[in-house]
Amino acid sequence: MFQESFKYYKARDPPPSFENVIDTDKAGAELDCRLQNYSSTAGNNATFPDLLDSSSWRIFELKNRPGLIIIKNPFTKHSQRYWMTRCICDYPKHPNHTNLPDAIVDKYALRSTREQFDWWATAATIEDPADRRKLLKALRWTTLGYHYDWTNKVYDESARNAFPEDLSTLCRHFAQVLGFVRFRPEAAIVNYYPVGSTLAGHTDHSEKNLEAPLFSFSFGQPAIFLIGGHSKEERPDALLLRSGDVIVMTREARLCYHAVPKVFHCPESERSQRWESPDEQPEVQTADCRSTATTGAFADYIGLARVPFRSCFAAVPTQE
């Protein structure tokens, strides 16, 4: 059942109907979701720079998937752009790990070593659009903190770097709002999805603490997210995720099969992610990133038709 749904929403010709997709922005969503109220847990101190006040968040739990929580975009435009910039300009750098093969790095690094290679800065200077697009599409994931061993599907204490402080603070803020007051993120995977790419059905069972929540923040183009049960024989539910939406998997939802069968263009999303003026550029930690953020390559990558992206980072939780 899961694979059938995945193939249906992945199809291009004919394209799938979104008739049965759960869209929490549309009337009738209450048939599939419960609107939750966490204000009593959060108290009056649950504020964070460039996020909407948590008392105004629209938080849903899927009725058929207990523990699957959807937070409708609580980010301001400035905050969305900040996190996009961090995902694109900062996180793919050493000592974080990426999927970029040696052949790609050797081709574009010129005289620099792999440790010195700056994926984004290199792509932004490539004049040939086809060549630039090839390098941009080559990056599919970056790992932060504990680096995931994709072969053995484990996290190894020996493969670990410092977890970004701003991302840790963000995740802990969301955890506080939801009542997980002792939550501490230690690892993240940033996934990069060009339009037309997919993420196959899988479960997230490598983390030691399965009681704590797993956060997934999505920026860029919209996507269909499938969430099923503990077996692929169960038919999944399909959700529409837009830029800024947050998925939180808690309790039994942590071991449910989930996937992304479709990432697609949305002209409205592309317009909303443009900078209207240089003054609207986000403050980021890397000067080089600020100097390249106004280039056409950056505009293409965050939402225009050529190389739009979808980036999710899921904080792998432990509890103190």
Side-chain angles (χ1 to χ4, degrees):
M1 290 290 190
F2 191 97
Q3 198 60 25
E4 290 177 5
S5 295
F6 184 88
K7 290 180 178 178
Y8 174 77
Y9 286 108
K10 177 184 176 181
R12 298 182 182 181
D13 189 18
S17 167
F18 286 5
E19 179 181 2
N20 295 319
V21 174
I22 299 170
D23 183 353
T24 50
D25 279 348
K26 291 188 175 180
E30 65 276 3
L31 298 176
D32 303 293
C33 305
R34 299 183 184 90
L35 189 63
Q36 303 289 342
N37 182 2
Y38 288 89
S39 59
S40 59
T41 301
N44 297 321
N45 298 319
T47 58
F48 192 88
D50 282 330
L51 288 184
L52 302 179
D53 188 284
S54 61
S55 63
S56 67
W57 290 6
R58 297 175 62 232
I59 306 176
F60 299 87
E61 184 172 14
L62 210 60
K63 290 181 179 179
N64 291 339
R65 311 292 171 190
L68 193 284
I69 296 171
I70 309 159
I71 304 176
K72 295 304 299 179
N73 177 25
F75 295 88
T76 64
K77 283 187 178 182
H78 183 278
S79 185
Q80 284 201 43
R81 291 162 180 162
Y82 172 86
W83 291 109
M84 289 178 188
T85 304
R86 290 288 277 154
C87 289
I88 295 171
C89 299
D90 297 331
Y91 293 155
K93 293 180 179 179
H94 180 79
N96 299 329
H97 293 188
T98 74
N99 70 296
L100 292 173
D102 290 338
I104 289 287
V105 175
D106 291 343
K107 177 179 179 180
Y108 294 101
L110 299 177
R111 293 185 176 85
S112 66
T113 65
R114 187 177 184 90
E115 288 73 22
Q116 297 170 323
F117 182 64
D118 187 328
W119 167 79
W120 171 251
T122 301
T125 60
I126 296 175
E127 295 183 0
D128 180 68
D131 202 23
R132 182 173 65 200
R133 193 176 301 119
K134 181 178 180 180
L135 177 57
L136 291 175
K137 285 188 173 183
L139 182 66
R140 300 307 300 271
W141 55 259
T142 296
T143 55
L144 316 173
Y146 280 95
H147 301 295
Y148 189 60
D149 182 337
W150 298 90
T151 301
N152 299 310
K153 301 186 183 305
V154 296
Y155 291 94
D156 190 337
E157 183 70 32
S158 64
R160 180 185 185 186
N161 295 111
F163 192 83
E165 185 61 32
D166 57 351
L167 179 54
S168 176
T169 304
L170 177 76
C171 293
R172 295 182 75 158
H173 173 74
F174 276 90
Q176 177 191 2
V177 172
L178 297 179
F180 296 92
V181 295
R182 300 183 63 188
F183 176 88
R184 177 166 57 92
E186 294 185 325
I189 301 174
V190 184
N191 294 304
Y192 303 85
Y193 302 126
V195 161
S197 62
T198 63
L199 177 67
H202 66 286
T203 61
D204 295 313
H205 56 268
S206 300
E207 298 78 40
K208 293 182 180 180
N209 183 1
L210 297 178
E211 296 300 317
L214 187 150
F215 293 93
S216 180
F217 303 87
S218 300
F219 302 106
Q221 297 300 308
I224 298 298
F225 176 81
L226 295 183
I227 176 71
H230 293 182
S231 166
K232 284 191 174 181
E233 298 304 313
E234 187 173 340
R235 185 181 299 278
D237 291 304
L239 307 174
L240 176 60
L241 297 181
R242 296 181 175 87
S243 187
D245 289 347
V246 183
I247 288 285
V248 190
M249 302 180 78
T250 69
R251 305 190 305 275
E252 60 188 271
R254 284 292 307 274
L255 295 178
C256 289
Y257 278 92
H258 53 282
V260 179
K262 184 172 289 293
V263 181
F264 55 96
H265 289 292
C266 177
E268 180 180 349
S269 177
E270 291 166 8
R271 286 194 298 272
S272 69
Q273 291 155 19
R274 286 178 178 267
W275 277 285
E276 300 301 331
S277 71
D279 293 337
E280 292 187 10
Q281 295 174 31
E283 290 296 324
V284 293
Q285 295 182 358
T286 306
D288 290 343
C289 187
R290 281 199 297 269
S291 66
T292 59
T294 57
T295 65
F298 194 89
D300 287 346
Y301 199 70
I302 65 170
L304 296 180
R306 281 184 288 170
V307 194
F309 88 103
R310 180 178 182 81
S311 174
C312 304
F313 42 86
V316 178
T318 63
Q319 286 191 329
E320 299 170 339

